[in-house]
Amino acid sequence: MLNIKDELSHVRLFQKLIPEAMEVFTHSVDQIYEMFNTAVEHECKWTNHIVGNNILGITEYSTEQYTKYLANIRLRSIGLEPLYPDKKYSKSPYTHLERFSDTKKEAHTKANFFEASVTSYVMSSGVSGWDEI
């Protein structure tokens, strides 16, 4: 299973390789879009099979929106136009969760919950006892 660090390493690798390959194999742009579209379809089907609508705040619709949003980001990172131009795919449906997974508050560094360090003590310093939490 890939972890977030592996995924980011692969993204960086392909950000370097794909633009160079597109210079040599100019016909490959259409194939890249086709592969992205296929990958998005499979990712949505898999996520909906595993998660479905069983987690509060995550729906099949939001899963599709998020997956297409990420695909557009990845395409831009290799110098291509977004595959999904609809405005709803230009923003993450899970922005409210970004703070929980973004340890540096830069919206591009994710961490495993159990490996991350505490970044804010605001909640704990604002209460006087466990009963208030």
Side-chain angles (χ1 to χ4, degrees):
M1 181 175 174
L2 285 178
N3 66 34
I4 298 300
K5 291 176 187 174
D6 289 338
E7 181 182 347
L8 292 175
S9 295
H10 291 120
V11 167
R12 287 187 198 104
L13 173 68
F14 286 105
Q15 284 174 335
K16 300 288 185 195
L17 289 177
I18 290 176
E20 290 179 22
M22 287 188 301
E23 289 177 15
V24 176
F25 306 105
T26 54
H27 64 282
S28 64
V29 173
D30 291 336
Q31 290 175 314
I32 291 170
Y33 281 116
E34 187 179 321
M35 287 188 288
F36 264 82
N37 191 54
T38 300
V40 165
E41 287 176 12
H42 288 293
E43 183 71 20
C44 288
K45 285 180 185 175
W46 176 247
T47 304
N48 291 336
H49 171 73
I50 298 299
V51 177
N53 292 315
N54 298 316
I55 298 176
L56 184 64
I58 298 177
T59 64
E60 291 182 5
Y61 175 79
S62 66
T63 295
E64 177 185 353
Q65 185 181 352
Y66 185 68
T67 305
K68 290 180 178 180
Y69 158 76
L70 286 179
N72 283 343
I73 288 175
R74 300 299 184 241
L75 285 165
R76 280 190 208 102
S77 74
I78 59 171
L80 294 175
E81 291 297 314
L83 180 59
Y84 307 100
D86 193 314
K87 189 171 180 148
K88 66 183 173 184
Y89 303 125
S90 65
K91 183 179 177 188
S92 169
Y94 303 128
T95 54
H96 59 287
L97 299 176
E98 290 293 325
R99 186 152 188 247
F100 295 109
S101 62
D102 186 6
T103 60
K104 294 187 180 179
K105 296 184 180 150
E106 296 173 352
H108 56 72
T109 304
K110 306 297 178 209
N112 178 314
F113 174 81
F114 298 103
E115 295 174 358
S117 60
V118 175
T119 59
S120 174
Y121 292 96
V122 175
M123 175 81 174
S124 63
S125 65
V127 295
S128 59
W130 288 105
D131 294 334
E132 293 183 36
I133 297 178

